[in-house]
Amino acid sequence: MNRALRQLVLPTSRRLLVRAQRHAIQATCQRQLTQSIVRPISFKGLFGGNNGAKQTQNQLLDQDNLFHVLSQSPLPEMRDRAAIINKYGVCPVCDEQGHKQKPTFDCPDCGYPTHCCEEHYEQGKAAHQHENCGILRQQNEDDHDLRSGRPMREFEFPSAQGFDEAVNMANWDIFFYTRSFPSMDSDRSMRHVSKLLTYPITVASVLHQYSPYKYGEQVTLEGMRSIAALRTVLYPNAQNSNEAQVQVRTDTINVYLLGARAEATLPAHIWLQLCYLFPSSPFHLHFIGPDALQPNQEPHTKSINERLFFTYDNAMYHEYHEKIEKFDPYTDLFFMFSPGIGHTEAREDWKPSIQKALETKCPIFITGYDETDMQTDVKAVEQDYEGEFDWILKPTVNEFRSLKRDVNLMDLRQTIFANYGIWGIRGKRYDVVHDPENN
């Protein structure tokens, strides 16, 4: 490591990578080339259907017949959604008047039960149409499309990237193109896929050598030091052979996902997309938090292959922290997806866990579901941990946020984008300063 790089990355000791012998590299070369062939991974089972012919026969809805009033939908899941809103939702006109009534009147334009009666619907119609009627109609059609029974070509994801093919992480469009995803023929397909991939690709976007976040713009000097340390493991020097360029397998990257919820429920193959972007590094994802496990499940670890491991634990992170022998800023990082640190009811609960994460001196990346949510969390961290952290990534819009809105069924006026914004911090490092007068 040259002098400039030593000054840039964190000054911690590195375990030396054992260089493979030349004949061993040649023996594995053919296997590496085979793994580099792009093969589709089908997620049809995630949305129903077994094969193309059967899906065509069992297709429930045509593409020109996706809009339905939820309570009258041909799909039971959508009728159930209407029933949930009827039971737990709120009429916005009643809410403004200071009393609560359940929404039972269906808006004919968006198909959702939005008001308690036709009279209140007419009173609030202008505000509803201006604020979120179009959003709810789009959500209505998207959700019917997912359950329509059509072949979901957009979910046939690529596998390993060819060793001579570069991936550009500038944004969703360019990522899909350079990563050889199926052509996204509509905004609806983009919304479907981005909702699934926002979690693994958000993680990848801050680690990748072609990250959309640049030093001097979003990434700070301390951030560049932390990210450069991780990249020394993610991008080891390539070994040359006569047949091809083969990369050395490196240390495992540990990603600690604190307060895990939706990300812990994703099918394992979705997280493989993270591994394909870093073919030299195995990943171990630690899903930690009260919602990381399904009811009646015990904490456990499993693997999908030799490159991807999962640990699920419903402990609070400050309790789980004690199980880890040591942390290494070259291989370990934290992610907190929309944790709500700044919310009054959660702020105190988060304090011991964030304190432990800061002590590791490993990078911590945090997302928010909108600008207000992100700034609320930032303000809470600045107040509660003043002087204890360095900025590594300034608050910014996440290029790999979900493009599909999530709707709060208890208040249809509230819609969010998962992982809308992202920012990052790290426990403060104190540089040693030589003072000759007190030597």
Side-chain angles (χ1 to χ4, degrees):
M1 188 181 298
N2 60 39
R3 181 177 181 182
L5 186 57
R6 283 201 304 270
Q7 293 174 343
L8 185 62
V9 300
L10 296 174
T12 59
S13 62
R14 295 291 299 121
R15 296 187 294 274
L16 296 177
L17 294 175
V18 179
R19 293 184 176 275
Q21 296 296 323
R22 184 181 184 86
H23 69 273
I25 295 174
Q26 291 174 339
T28 59
C29 180
Q30 186 62 41
R31 178 173 61 86
Q32 293 280 346
L33 287 172
T34 302
Q35 291 177 342
S36 296
I37 299 173
V38 175
R39 298 182 298 276
I41 297 175
S42 176
F43 294 97
K44 296 186 180 74
L46 186 61
F47 300 101
N50 298 316
N51 55 58
K54 186 173 181 179
Q55 282 187 325
T56 301
Q57 294 173 1
N58 295 338
Q59 185 162 333
L60 301 175
L61 299 173
D62 295 327
Q63 288 298 289
D64 59 356
N65 185 34
L66 295 178
F67 175 76
H68 295 271
V69 173
L70 265 59
S71 61
Q72 302 169 23
S73 171
L75 304 177
E77 301 97 320
M78 304 307 290
R79 296 196 298 271
D80 290 344
R81 182 173 301 182
I84 292 172
I85 299 171
N86 293 156
K87 185 175 181 179
Y88 298 105
V90 59
C91 169
V93 175
C94 291
D95 190 40
E96 292 174 0
Q97 295 175 354
H99 56 275
K100 304 293 184 182
Q101 290 290 336
K102 303 303 181 184
T104 56
F105 181 82
D106 297 322
C107 170
D109 295 321
C110 69
Y112 276 75
T114 56
H115 295 78
C116 66
C117 61
E118 185 174 2
E119 180 183 354
H120 276 192
Y121 170 73
E122 292 297 335
Q123 289 182 28
K125 182 176 180 179
H128 170 64
Q129 290 186 334
H130 174 70
E131 294 173 2
N132 65 344
C133 186
I135 294 170
L136 293 175
R137 185 182 178 101
Q138 181 184 91
Q139 185 83 358
N140 182 324
E141 295 179 353
D142 283 357
D143 289 340
H144 277 95
D145 179 55
L146 280 174
R147 298 161 178 83
S148 66
R150 72 170 175 87
M152 306 298 289
R153 305 300 185 197
E154 57 266 56
F155 291 110
E156 296 178 359
F157 295 166
S159 60
Q161 188 82 355
F163 69 89
D164 59 344
E165 299 174 358
V167 178
N168 190 316
M169 302 287 290
N171 53 49
W172 279 121
D173 284 317
I174 297 176
F175 169 73
F176 286 146
Y177 178 75
T178 57
R179 183 70 180 88
S180 302
F181 273 74
S183 177
M184 301 293 170
D185 296 327
S186 67
D187 290 342
R188 177 170 292 130
S189 293
M190 290 280 288
R191 291 193 292 271
H192 290 336
V193 176
S194 69
K195 183 175 174 64
L196 276 180
L197 290 181
T198 181
Y199 296 100
I201 305 305
T202 293
V203 175
S205 69
V206 298
L207 299 175
H208 202 272
Q209 61 183 341
Y210 300 125
S211 169
Y213 312 114
K214 306 302 181 185
Y215 172 60
E217 297 178 15
Q218 301 91 355
V219 180
T220 66
L221 175 61
E222 292 300 322
M224 197 64 244
R225 287 174 173 169
S226 287
I227 294 171
L230 290 162
R231 287 177 183 166
T232 61
V233 176
L234 291 166
Y235 296 99
N237 292 330
Q239 303 292 314
N240 292 320
S241 72
N242 293 331
E243 299 180 36
Q245 193 176 52
V246 180
Q247 292 183 314
V248 177
R249 185 58 52 87
T250 66
D251 297 330
T252 298
I253 300 295
N254 290 289
V255 184
Y256 297 92
L257 299 120
L258 311 190
R261 292 166 295 177
E263 60 271 29
T265 66
L266 287 175
H269 289 86
I270 300 296
W271 284 102
L272 267 177
Q273 293 300 314
L274 173 63
C275 294
Y276 293 143
L277 292 169
F278 305 98
S280 297
S281 300
F283 279 81
H284 189 161
L285 307 178
H286 303 252
F287 299 100
I288 309 160
D291 300 315
L293 286 170
Q294 297 296 322
N296 303 320
Q297 275 192 325
E298 294 294 327
H300 62 279
T301 297
K302 66 178 184 179
S303 64
I304 187 171
N305 56 32
E306 74 280 2
R307 296 177 53 204
L308 184 58
F309 303 85
F310 301 95
T311 292
Y312 299 85
D313 199 308
N314 56 2
M316 300 295 284
Y317 173 70
H318 56 274
E319 300 167 349
Y320 184 83
H321 178 91
E322 305 304 325
K323 301 178 183 180
I324 308 301
E325 292 184 3
K326 62 179 180 178
F327 291 86
D328 186 347
Y330 282 84
T331 59
D332 301 339
L333 67 154
F334 296 86
F335 256 88
M336 302 166 67
F337 290 111
S338 302
I341 298 169
H343 293 241
T344 305
E345 62 274 14
R347 190 166 177 172
E348 289 300 318
D349 292 338
W350 271 115
K351 281 185 177 180
S353 292
I354 294 176
Q355 193 67 54
K356 288 294 185 181
L358 289 172
E359 290 173 5
T360 67
K361 304 299 188 284
C362 296
I364 307 168
F365 297 98
I366 305 167
T367 70
Y369 57 73
D370 61 22
E371 187 68 28
T372 300
D373 179 59
M374 182 168 62
Q375 293 302 330
T376 299
D377 287 355
V378 167
K379 184 177 179 180
V381 168
E382 289 179 331
Q383 292 175 349
D384 294 344
Y385 310 98
E386 183 179 3
E388 298 181 43
F389 70 90
D390 290 315
W391 281 101
I392 60 175
L393 179 65
K394 299 175 184 177
T396 188
V397 174
N398 178 14
E399 292 292 345
F400 294 95
R401 62 194 177 278
S402 171
L403 302 179
K404 180 180 173 67
R405 290 179 184 264
D406 292 315
V407 177
N408 181 1
L409 299 184
M410 292 187 288
D411 190 343
L412 298 179
R413 294 168 294 181
Q414 299 175 358
T415 62
I416 63 170
F417 291 104
N419 305 323
Y420 165 84
I422 188 170
W423 51 289
I425 59 175
R426 188 200 63 216
K428 182 173 282 294
R429 293 171 50 245
Y430 297 95
D431 295 326
V432 176
V433 178
H434 177 60
D435 185 353
E437 295 183 2
N438 297 319
N439 189 9

Short mmCIF file of all heavy atoms in Angstrom, two decimals, residues 68-75 78-83 86 104-106 111-113 140 144:
data_model
loop_
_atom_site.label_atom_id
_atom_site.label_comp_id
_atom_site.label_asym_id
_atom_site.label_seq_id
_atom_site.Cartn_x
_atom_site.Cartn_y
_atom_site.Cartn_z
N HIS A 68 -59.75 -1.34 -10.50
CA HIS A 68 -60.97 -1.83 -9.88
C HIS A 68 -61.16 -1.12 -8.54
O HIS A 68 -60.17 -0.85 -7.83
CB HIS A 68 -60.91 -3.34 -9.63
CG HIS A 68 -60.84 -4.15 -10.89
ND1 HIS A 68 -61.95 -4.59 -11.56
CD2 HIS A 68 -59.76 -4.58 -11.61
CE1 HIS A 68 -61.58 -5.28 -12.63
NE2 HIS A 68 -60.25 -5.28 -12.69
N VAL A 69 -62.38 -0.82 -8.20
CA VAL A 69 -62.67 -0.38 -6.83
C VAL A 69 -62.27 -1.52 -5.90
O VAL A 69 -62.66 -2.68 -6.12
CB VAL A 69 -64.16 -0.03 -6.68
CG1 VAL A 69 -64.49 0.27 -5.22
CG2 VAL A 69 -64.51 1.15 -7.57
N LEU A 70 -61.48 -1.22 -4.89
CA LEU A 70 -60.90 -2.28 -4.06
C LEU A 70 -61.96 -3.20 -3.47
O LEU A 70 -61.79 -4.43 -3.45
CB LEU A 70 -60.05 -1.67 -2.95
CG LEU A 70 -58.55 -1.54 -3.24
CD1 LEU A 70 -58.28 -0.69 -4.46
CD2 LEU A 70 -57.82 -0.98 -2.03
N SER A 71 -63.04 -2.63 -2.98
CA SER A 71 -64.06 -3.45 -2.32
C SER A 71 -64.79 -4.36 -3.30
O SER A 71 -65.45 -5.32 -2.88
CB SER A 71 -65.07 -2.55 -1.60
OG SER A 71 -65.73 -1.70 -2.53
N GLN A 72 -64.67 -4.09 -4.61
CA GLN A 72 -65.32 -4.91 -5.63
C GLN A 72 -64.31 -5.61 -6.53
O GLN A 72 -64.66 -6.12 -7.59
CB GLN A 72 -66.24 -4.02 -6.48
CG GLN A 72 -67.30 -3.29 -5.67
CD GLN A 72 -68.02 -2.23 -6.49
OE1 GLN A 72 -68.06 -2.29 -7.71
NE2 GLN A 72 -68.60 -1.24 -5.81
N SER A 73 -63.07 -5.65 -6.10
CA SER A 73 -62.01 -6.25 -6.91
C SER A 73 -62.24 -7.75 -7.08
O SER A 73 -62.73 -8.43 -6.17
CB SER A 73 -60.65 -6.02 -6.24
OG SER A 73 -59.63 -6.76 -6.89
N PRO A 74 -61.87 -8.30 -8.24
CA PRO A 74 -61.94 -9.75 -8.42
C PRO A 74 -60.87 -10.50 -7.62
O PRO A 74 -60.92 -11.73 -7.54
CB PRO A 74 -61.72 -9.93 -9.93
CG PRO A 74 -60.95 -8.72 -10.34
CD PRO A 74 -61.44 -7.60 -9.48
N LEU A 75 -59.93 -9.77 -7.02
CA LEU A 75 -58.85 -10.39 -6.26
C LEU A 75 -59.13 -10.30 -4.77
O LEU A 75 -59.32 -9.21 -4.23
CB LEU A 75 -57.52 -9.70 -6.58
CG LEU A 75 -57.13 -9.66 -8.06
CD1 LEU A 75 -55.83 -8.89 -8.24
CD2 LEU A 75 -57.00 -11.06 -8.63
N MET A 78 -57.11 -7.77 -2.58
CA MET A 78 -57.46 -6.36 -2.69
C MET A 78 -58.75 -6.05 -1.93
O MET A 78 -58.89 -4.97 -1.34
CB MET A 78 -57.59 -5.96 -4.16
CG MET A 78 -56.35 -6.27 -5.00
SD MET A 78 -54.83 -5.57 -4.32
CE MET A 78 -55.11 -3.83 -4.59
N ARG A 79 -59.68 -6.98 -1.93
CA ARG A 79 -60.89 -6.77 -1.12
C ARG A 79 -60.54 -6.76 0.36
O ARG A 79 -61.11 -5.98 1.14
CB ARG A 79 -61.92 -7.87 -1.42
CG ARG A 79 -62.43 -7.87 -2.86
CD ARG A 79 -63.70 -8.70 -3.01
NE ARG A 79 -63.50 -10.10 -2.68
CZ ARG A 79 -63.12 -11.03 -3.55
NH1 ARG A 79 -62.89 -10.70 -4.82
NH2 ARG A 79 -62.99 -12.30 -3.17
N ASP A 80 -59.58 -7.59 0.75
CA ASP A 80 -59.13 -7.59 2.15
C ASP A 80 -58.50 -6.25 2.51
O ASP A 80 -58.66 -5.75 3.63
CB ASP A 80 -58.12 -8.71 2.38
CG ASP A 80 -58.75 -10.09 2.33
OD1 ASP A 80 -59.99 -10.17 2.42
OD2 ASP A 80 -58.00 -11.08 2.19
N ARG A 81 -57.78 -5.66 1.57
CA ARG A 81 -57.16 -4.36 1.82
C ARG A 81 -58.24 -3.30 2.07
O ARG A 81 -58.10 -2.46 2.97
CB ARG A 81 -56.28 -3.96 0.65
CG ARG A 81 -55.56 -2.63 0.84
CD ARG A 81 -54.57 -2.37 -0.27
NE ARG A 81 -53.57 -3.41 -0.36
CZ ARG A 81 -52.56 -3.40 -1.22
NH1 ARG A 81 -52.44 -2.39 -2.07
NH2 ARG A 81 -51.68 -4.39 -1.24
N ALA A 82 -59.29 -3.34 1.29
CA ALA A 82 -60.39 -2.39 1.50
C ALA A 82 -61.00 -2.58 2.88
O ALA A 82 -61.33 -1.60 3.57
CB ALA A 82 -61.45 -2.57 0.41
N ALA A 83 -61.13 -3.83 3.31
CA ALA A 83 -61.71 -4.11 4.63
C ALA A 83 -60.82 -3.56 5.74
O ALA A 83 -61.32 -3.05 6.76
CB ALA A 83 -61.91 -5.62 4.79
N ASN A 86 -61.42 0.13 5.85
CA ASN A 86 -62.72 0.38 6.47
C ASN A 86 -62.64 0.29 7.99
O ASN A 86 -63.31 1.05 8.70
CB ASN A 86 -63.75 -0.65 5.98
CG ASN A 86 -64.07 -0.51 4.50
OD1 ASN A 86 -64.50 -1.46 3.85
ND2 ASN A 86 -63.87 0.68 3.93
N THR A 104 -65.80 4.51 4.49
CA THR A 104 -66.57 3.42 3.87
C THR A 104 -67.05 3.78 2.47
O THR A 104 -67.55 2.91 1.75
CB THR A 104 -67.79 3.07 4.74
OG1 THR A 104 -68.57 4.25 4.95
CG2 THR A 104 -67.36 2.50 6.09
N PHE A 105 -66.88 5.05 2.08
CA PHE A 105 -67.30 5.47 0.74
C PHE A 105 -66.12 5.36 -0.22
O PHE A 105 -65.04 5.90 0.03
CB PHE A 105 -67.83 6.90 0.76
CG PHE A 105 -68.31 7.37 -0.59
CD1 PHE A 105 -69.58 7.05 -1.05
CD2 PHE A 105 -67.47 8.12 -1.42
CE1 PHE A 105 -70.01 7.47 -2.30
CE2 PHE A 105 -67.89 8.54 -2.67
CZ PHE A 105 -69.18 8.22 -3.11
N ASP A 106 -66.32 4.65 -1.33
CA ASP A 106 -65.25 4.41 -2.29
C ASP A 106 -65.15 5.56 -3.30
O ASP A 106 -66.14 5.90 -3.95
CB ASP A 106 -65.50 3.11 -3.05
CG ASP A 106 -65.50 1.90 -2.14
OD1 ASP A 106 -64.68 1.87 -1.21
OD2 ASP A 106 -66.33 0.99 -2.36
N GLY A 111 -60.50 4.28 -6.45
CA GLY A 111 -60.94 2.95 -6.05
C GLY A 111 -60.74 2.64 -4.58
O GLY A 111 -61.12 1.55 -4.13
N TYR A 112 -60.16 3.56 -3.82
CA TYR A 112 -59.94 3.34 -2.39
C TYR A 112 -61.12 3.90 -1.59
O TYR A 112 -61.72 4.91 -1.98
CB TYR A 112 -58.67 4.04 -1.93
CG TYR A 112 -57.40 3.26 -2.16
CD1 TYR A 112 -56.85 3.14 -3.44
CD2 TYR A 112 -56.73 2.64 -1.12
CE1 TYR A 112 -55.68 2.43 -3.66
CE2 TYR A 112 -55.56 1.93 -1.32
CZ TYR A 112 -55.04 1.83 -2.60
OH TYR A 112 -53.89 1.12 -2.81
N PRO A 113 -61.44 3.28 -0.45
CA PRO A 113 -62.42 3.90 0.46
C PRO A 113 -61.77 5.08 1.17
O PRO A 113 -60.85 4.90 1.97
CB PRO A 113 -62.76 2.77 1.43
CG PRO A 113 -61.60 1.84 1.38
CD PRO A 113 -61.00 1.96 0.02
N ASN A 140 -53.29 1.39 -7.01
CA ASN A 140 -54.36 0.44 -7.29
C ASN A 140 -54.00 -0.42 -8.51
O ASN A 140 -54.03 -1.66 -8.47
CB ASN A 140 -55.66 1.21 -7.52
CG ASN A 140 -56.87 0.33 -7.78
OD1 ASN A 140 -56.78 -0.70 -8.41
ND2 ASN A 140 -58.03 0.78 -7.31
N HIS A 144 -52.88 -4.47 -8.64
CA HIS A 144 -53.65 -5.42 -9.45
C HIS A 144 -52.76 -6.07 -10.51
O HIS A 144 -52.92 -7.26 -10.83
CB HIS A 144 -54.84 -4.73 -10.11
CG HIS A 144 -56.04 -4.61 -9.22
ND1 HIS A 144 -56.30 -3.49 -8.46
CD2 HIS A 144 -57.04 -5.48 -8.95
CE1 HIS A 144 -57.42 -3.67 -7.77
NE2 HIS A 144 -57.89 -4.87 -8.05
#
